[in-house]
Amino acid sequence: MTDKRSAEVLSKAMKDTVMSLVKKSAGGRTQPAERAWPATGFSEFAAYKELQTQRGAGELFGIENPFFRVHETRAGATTRIGGREVINFASYDYLGLNAHPAVAAAANAAMQRLGTSASASRVVAGERDVHRDLERRIAEVYGVDDAVVYVSGHATNVSAISTLLGPRDLILSDALVHNSVMVGAQLSGATRRSFPHNDLDALERTLAELRGRHQNVLIAVEGLYSMDGDVPDLKRLVQIKTHYGAWLMMDEAHALGVLGASGRGSAEHCGIDGRAVDIWMGTLSKTCAACGGFIAGSKALVDILKCTSAGFVYSVGMPPPIAAAALAALNAMAREPERVARLQANSRLFLERAQAAGLDTGFAQGYAVIGIMIGDSLRAAKLTERLFEAGINALPIIHPAVPMQAARLRFFLSSEHTAAQIETAVAATRRELARLEAEKFGLSKLAAGVLAKKSAGR
Ligand code: PMP
């Protein structure tokens, strides 16, 4: 080999060695600068694009977005939006306690005495008497040992389910159960199965097939379904869960204050002992006119959650004024059972009138939540708009909250609605639906109006 050639070989060998050292020090990667990894812009996000498409469709059909409306007053049976007083069917304040003077007074007093915040987790920053008083009161309402409150109803389900269940377990939930139950179930790592809405035969078939393969089994249902306004057969659920050695969890978000002669929810409604259900879950944002959620049950259950569930241990305690408001609301519910009676009468009246008017009320059974089934999402949004023009606030529920073509308008009744407000709302819904139907077939707005008037007079 010539000198020149050997110098070339040496130089190449040195280059290779240097390159391999560079590669090694870079963890086997080549030049980091050669490859760019641009982050996805949020405007390119698939969910965002879908949202834009939905909004575009709304704009195309000239429908105003009915969501995120600003209320300029305490939203109850009536509210003020855009400077206009409207009859309101879009509030979960079932017993009108958000406007109860005793609730406001309790929140004010707790704020003066204890401040607006609990500042950190109750484990480290300590408890306030209102926390314990509220938990004892919730346990009394459900006739069980104890309760624990969380700062969010959604986080309550996520935290409790993911703490109690694990990969060797099985979770069986109703197909219409709330998103928070599904998220908790996913996080738990347990095997998950859903059964068709309120189909307890299907639930039993799945249990017969799968029970033996799992350690713990959870059956998760709602006391009153918030999309459809129907209730499960609790007595049969208790039999099933006992037979198959499963835990039964009842989400009472919409049942508390609504079901039972004194508003104490599903146990009172079905005449069962509170201890027959393993896990009572509920929210404080609806009947209780506050915010947050609870789990009520045995001492051991509450102890486990207070000491190990992430949503309690690693999250701030409930603000004292909010805990005091929830406690005062439960006390007001007990002192004034006529509120519950009024709500139940209003719910029956709405259902009766809606059915008599030929409106499709789906599964609704006349317990505070009544959906008027519309089908198409845009049509539901259009009906909301027309009703709003007529002085009625009732919001559409559209996909993905409900299956495609199962859009509806949901009416939430309260003890504070008057019979006249209910009659007005049903008549307007019927009239505006008929008008939309006529417009679909190409009739002029004027002709559609005449037809709608005629049909409303029938
Ligand atoms: N469970 C059910 C059945 C609900 O409807 C809701 C909310 N509407 C939640 C849980 C979550 O409760 P929150 O809004 O109080 O967080």
Side-chain angles (χ1 to χ4, degrees), residues 92 152-154 157 178 180 222 226 251 253-254 281 283 285-286 292:
Y92 296 145
S152 141
H154 192 282
N157 269 333
H178 192 257
S180 49
E222 288 184 28
S226 64
D251 180 332
H254 298 270
M281 179 273 167
T283 68
S285 51
K286 301 173 173 60

